[in-house]
Amino acid sequence: MTVWDDLVGQEKVSAVLDAAARDADALVTAAAADQPLPETSKMTHAWLFTGPPGAGRNQAARAFAAALQCVSPDRALGGAPGCGFCDGCHTALLGTHADVTSVAAVGSEILVKDMRDTVRKSFTSPANGRWQIILIEDAERLNEKSANAVLKAVEEPAPRTVWLLCAPSIEDVLPTIRSRCRHLNLRTPSVEAVADMLMRRDGIEPEVAASAARATQGHVDRARRLATDPAARERRAAVLKLPLRLDEVGACLRAAQELVDAAAEDAKQLAEEMDGKEAEELKAALGAVQGGRMPRGTAGVMKELEDMQKRRRTRTQRDSLDVALGDLTAFYRDVLALQLGTRVALANADAEDALERLARAGTPESTLRRIEAIAACREALDRNVAPLLAVEAMTMALRAG
């Protein structure tokens, strides 16, 4: 199993990255021997991965990082980089490689203070691997100051440093940064490709795999979660019942509260898993004495951790809400397909009775207005509107049609 096997439906992208990883070997060899670098190399110091949610931007970037750090013995015999089994590949894929640094938005933005150490590290030589790799998972969330810090590092990179940036679209990244990157655009994988991956890699039953892939419309991570997590299936089923409940104002307000509460519960579960562990690890690193007392001068560090965890909980809640809003959008898209009599395959075939009921009760125009109301809710959440207010406005608009 190579590192490219997780890139579902991205054969062209895999081929480009594989060729670049092969040429990267030649660059390392030439630099070590103080020879001129090949002029036709497909390798470059900065890459920008774009594509719709679920296409696998981060997976592609991490697979490339693993291929660049591959230390398989077969490489000496002409084997391709990215075996997937060696220590370099394994640790890069897991996120524990010393020379692969990942940066993700904790809150709504990547702050400049979160980038300072990373930018500083980008100018150092690799400690163990062949390259110093910086992976920014949410490049669209760089604010002005943090983006400028990245720009300076990308403009004049260290010889053995590679920047991998991931964003939904090329327009989400500063023109000055994207002009210095090689751009790779990933496409949404087909439902059939995602279903095949679930059966082949996760041992999911064909019917369940097909249903999950169809429901998520090619979103690989969500399809895997839906196929393997009963709680995720229950949450989705509850969301799909919501359009039939909005018959009065009180029902709209209750439905909004339930959506927000479910998202908050998701954030709480994640916090319980991560916050305590992070706090204990930081206390140990700071030299906390037995009994929990912290050394003097460390209160500010603990406060920074608490602030970061608070921002992460907020983002997790909004990400969970966004999944529910995506399910609602797909639901009304199916309603519209039935109203227009198109032959588009239904994403929510398991809720066909509810779809047909709403299709008969409304018009294509009212369904489009409902889809626009969901999009407006998403935009409001992006502008940091209070989640409950944004969702209440949406449910009221869904009722009005």
Side-chain angles (χ1 to χ4, degrees), residues 205-367:
E205 292 295 324
E207 184 176 345
V208 176
S211 177
R214 187 170 57 247
T216 56
Q217 292 294 284
H219 193 300
V220 178
D221 290 338
R222 287 185 57 199
R224 177 178 279 123
R225 185 176 183 186
L226 201 60
T228 58
D229 185 0
R233 292 195 290 271
E234 291 177 6
R235 283 193 293 272
R236 175 177 171 271
V239 169
L240 297 186
K241 291 176 182 177
L242 183 144
L244 299 177
R245 299 170 47 198
L246 307 179
D247 52 355
E248 60 181 13
V249 173
C252 292
L253 300 180
R254 286 193 296 273
Q257 186 68 63
E258 289 172 8
L259 279 179
V260 173
D261 288 346
E265 182 62 27
D266 271 357
K268 180 181 177 182
Q269 290 179 2
L270 178 65
E272 290 176 349
E273 294 173 4
M274 300 182 66
D275 288 4
K277 181 180 178 182
E278 287 175 343
E280 291 303 318
E281 289 177 349
L282 182 57
K283 287 178 181 179
L286 294 174
V289 297
Q290 190 172 6
R293 287 189 304 167
M294 298 294 297
R296 290 186 178 183
T298 59
V301 179
M302 294 301 299
K303 181 65 166 58
E304 285 184 7
L305 176 63
E306 292 170 2
D307 290 343
M308 182 275 290
Q309 292 173 340
K310 184 178 179 181
R311 295 200 309 271
R312 183 173 62 202
R313 284 194 292 271
T314 299
R315 182 187 173 189
T316 302
Q317 179 178 358
R318 293 185 177 177
D319 286 349
S320 181
L321 266 178
D322 193 65
V323 170
L325 297 179
D327 288 336
L328 276 177
T329 302
F331 182 90
Y332 282 110
R333 166 197 169 277
D334 286 346
V335 171
L336 185 63
L338 291 175
Q339 290 172 331
L340 297 177
T342 65
R343 297 184 179 181
V344 176
L346 299 179
N348 301 285
D350 51 341
E352 192 167 357
D353 290 344
L355 294 172
E356 291 179 348
R357 177 178 166 184
L358 287 179
R360 290 192 300 268
T363 64
E365 291 78 13
S366 64
T367 302

Side-chain angles (χ1 to χ4, degrees), residues 85-102:
F85 295 102
C86 71
D87 184 66
C89 287
H90 185 65
T91 54
L93 292 173
L94 287 179
T96 58
H97 196 290
D99 295 319
V100 179
T101 302
S102 297

Side-chain angles (χ1 to χ4, degrees), residues 15-24 27 38-45 47 64 182:
V16 170
L17 295 175
D18 181 66
R22 292 171 185 266
D23 282 358
L27 293 179
E39 295 182 359
T40 59
S41 174
K42 297 180 176 64
M43 181 62 185
T44 186
H45 74 284
W47 297 75
F64 186 40
R182 183 170 183 186

Side-chain angles (χ1 to χ4, degrees), residues 37 40 54 60 69 88 98 111-112 118 129 144 152 170 179 215 217 221 233 237 263 274 308 318 347 355 370 375:
L37 301 180
T40 59
Q69 304 290 21
L111 306 178
V112 67
T118 301
E144 182 179 357
K152 291 177 182 178
I170 194 170
S179 65
Q217 292 294 284
D221 290 338
R233 292 195 290 271
M274 300 182 66
M308 182 275 290
R318 293 185 177 177
L355 294 172
R370 289 180 170 114

